[in-house]
Amino acid sequence: GENVEQHPSTLSVQEGDSAVIKCTYSDSASNYFPWYKQELGKRPQLIIDIRSNVGEKKDQRIAVTLNKTAKHFSLHITETQPEDSAVYFCAASSSTGNQFYFGTGTSLTVIP
Amino acid sequence: NAGVTQTPKFQVLKTGQSMTLQCAQDMNHEYMSWYRQDPGMGLRLIHYSVGAGITDQGEVPNGYNVSRSTTEDFPLRLLSAAPSQTSVYFCASSPGGSYTEAFFGQGTRLTVV
């Protein structure tokens, strides 16, 4: 089955700096890569996603890049704010879309 | 539109007890799944269903049973709880097919003593 690895496990940045979280996957058949944000005590919620036929996608301060050849994808958050502090999960979806495989999560702390 | 609803939010069980975690969605999604979240291990898939009457095992299915008699409901059963099942459990649903988002319930924090 699919194996998703995520790094780093914890990340601290100063407010206004950028944050980058990296993930790798093993199954070349995976074709959808969502990112979820989980605030303390809350449910994971989708913040951005990318399909396998796209190399980069941006949404305001958030961007995701995908390198299919190397099987890795990354989340970039620019101009970080304290409300960006949360746990972020990357995931890879099987080609049928019925299974999501998650990374182990990155706890991001933005220091005011 | 309630989305995905899980009950209960918190539960304490004694070793050997059984219980059912409830999950219901009102979005007419075909796909539903159960995950457990443990510190440092992310979200691990327990069981999933691609439609009413169809279920399959995920990464960590041992100790858990599921059934899917309707599109809306996907309960998770612990037949004989063990301390290793102490975790936060999330139910999720998605429309199915490629490129579709998973919507999560609010989670159930289960402690087995």
Side-chain angles (χ1 to χ4, degrees), chain A residues 4-98:
Chain A
V4 178
E5 296 189 357
Q6 182 173 347
H7 300 281
S9 57
T10 60
L11 180 60
S12 292
V13 299
Q14 294 284 24
E15 183 177 358
D17 288 349
S18 296
V20 180
I21 302 170
K22 298 182 178 181
C23 290
T24 61
Y25 62 99
S26 61
D27 188 353
S28 57
S30 293
N31 64 359
Y32 175 62
F33 306 92
W35 286 87
Y36 286 81
K37 176 183 180 182
Q38 185 180 29
E39 297 177 346
L40 189 63
K42 300 290 183 63
R43 72 189 77 189
Q45 291 192 299
L46 181 75
I47 55 171
I48 195 168
D49 56 16
I50 191 167
R51 302 181 180 188
S52 58
N53 58 351
V54 175
E56 184 176 4
K57 182 177 179 180
K58 290 183 179 180
D59 183 3
Q60 299 182 340
R61 297 185 296 107
I62 296 174
V64 58
T65 59
L66 171 65
N67 184 324
K68 280 184 60 179
T69 303
K71 294 184 195 163
H72 65 72
F73 55 114
S74 301
L75 177 70
H76 304 253
I77 305 174
T78 59
E79 301 174 19
T80 53
Q81 301 169 3
E83 51 265 38
D84 294 329
S85 295
V87 177
Y88 292 81
F89 292 98
C90 62
S93 173
S94 64
S95 57
T96 56
N98 58 2

Side-chain angles (χ1 to χ4, degrees), chain A residues 31 36 38 43 89 95 99-100, chain B residues 37 48 98 100 102 104-105:
Chain A
N31 64 359
Y36 286 81
Q38 185 180 29
R43 72 189 77 189
F89 292 98
S95 57
Q99 294 182 58
F100 288 87
Chain B
Q37 183 176 25
Y48 66 97
S98 298
T100 57
F104 286 85

Side-chain angles (χ1 to χ4, degrees), chain B residues 25-99:
Chain B
Q25 53 93 7
D26 61 0
M27 297 176 282
N28 201 32
H29 286 171
E30 287 297 319
Y31 293 173
M32 297 186 74
S33 51
W34 277 100
Y35 296 86
R36 59 177 290 172
Q37 183 176 25
D38 302 293
M41 304 190 74
L43 292 153
R44 292 184 292 168
L45 183 64
I46 305 172
H47 285 284
Y48 66 97
S49 168
V50 301
I54 306 170
T55 64
D56 206 346
Q57 297 181 350
E59 304 168 78
V60 288
N62 293 338
Y64 308 95
N65 282 348
V66 292
S67 61
R68 184 96 180 271
S69 57
T70 67
T71 299
E72 294 77 20
D73 300 299
F74 191 43
L76 178 71
R77 297 183 185 86
L78 284 71
L79 299 179
S80 180
S84 60
Q85 294 178 304
T86 293
S87 187
V88 179
Y89 292 85
F90 285 98
C91 177
S93 74
S94 63
S98 298
Y99 318 132

